[in-house]
Structures are given as structure tokens and as C-alpha cells.
Amino acid sequence: MTIAVTKVRVEDKLYQNRYLVDSGRPHIIVRPHDKPSANLLALTYVCPAKCYELNDKGQVEITADGCMECGTCRILCEKGGDIEWNYPRGGFGVLFKFG
């Protein structure tokens, strides 16, 4: 008996979602920092939508477009004061295609 295994990439699933951008009003803000904390650096790896990146100055930046609002960054960094996190305004943010 042969079992067929189908590999699904996260990127292929994320492509199914849509995002209504609230221009000029991001729901997540990375607070200014000289050197990112360990938790803030971890977001460059653990954010499922890859919204966080390290820039050429060694600081973490966010592009909230495409954020899945999963709360990973909120759990990891909000208590430490690294980010300011709010829900998007009504009608904006992620629009899940299948739920």
C-alpha cells in the first residue's frame, strides 16, 4: 500500500488570505530601539506572515500589511514594551478566505 504525501507550503496558504490596508494607521508599531531585544529579534523568525525584518541599521521593522493578527508578536513582545499592538479598525486587516 502506497500513501501519497502532499507537501503544503505556508506561503501557499497565506496567499489565500486578503488584507485590507488601513493606510497610515498600522495596528502594530515597533517602538524605537538602539538594539533590539532578544524577543524582538525572535519575531524575525517566528512571525508566520514574516512581517518583521532586520534592517541594515540592525533594527527590527514591521510591515503590517499581510499580518494574520495571530497574536504571536503580542505574546512575545508587548509586555516588554517592544511593540504597541492594537486591533485594526473595523473593516480593516486580514480577511480569511476560508473562515
Side-chain angles (χ1 to χ4, degrees), residues 1-90:
M1 183 168 140
T2 305
I3 298 174
V5 177
T6 303
K7 291 186 178 182
V8 178
R9 297 174 344 132
V10 171
E11 292 82 5
D12 295 336
K13 292 293 185 182
L14 289 175
Y15 179 74
Q16 299 294 323
N17 299 329
R18 297 295 175 252
Y19 195 86
L20 187 56
V21 177
D22 193 359
S23 298
R25 295 183 70 171
H27 69 286
I28 304 170
I29 297 171
V30 175
R31 293 201 171 120
H33 55 278
D34 294 324
K35 182 179 177 188
S37 68
N39 284 353
L40 198 52
L41 278 175
L43 284 179
T44 63
Y45 297 100
V46 301
C47 174
K50 307 286 187 229
C51 292
Y52 294 86
E53 290 183 346
L54 200 59
N55 68 17
D56 57 351
K57 296 177 184 177
Q59 296 178 327
V60 175
E61 294 179 334
I62 183 171
T63 304
D65 305 359
C67 174
M68 297 182 342
E69 300 167 30
C70 66
T72 301
C73 60
R74 187 176 187 185
I75 291 168
L76 202 58
C77 292
E78 188 177 39
K79 188 174 182 180
D82 294 322
I83 65 168
E84 183 179 324
W85 195 98
N86 295 292
Y87 287 103
R89 287 189 310 151

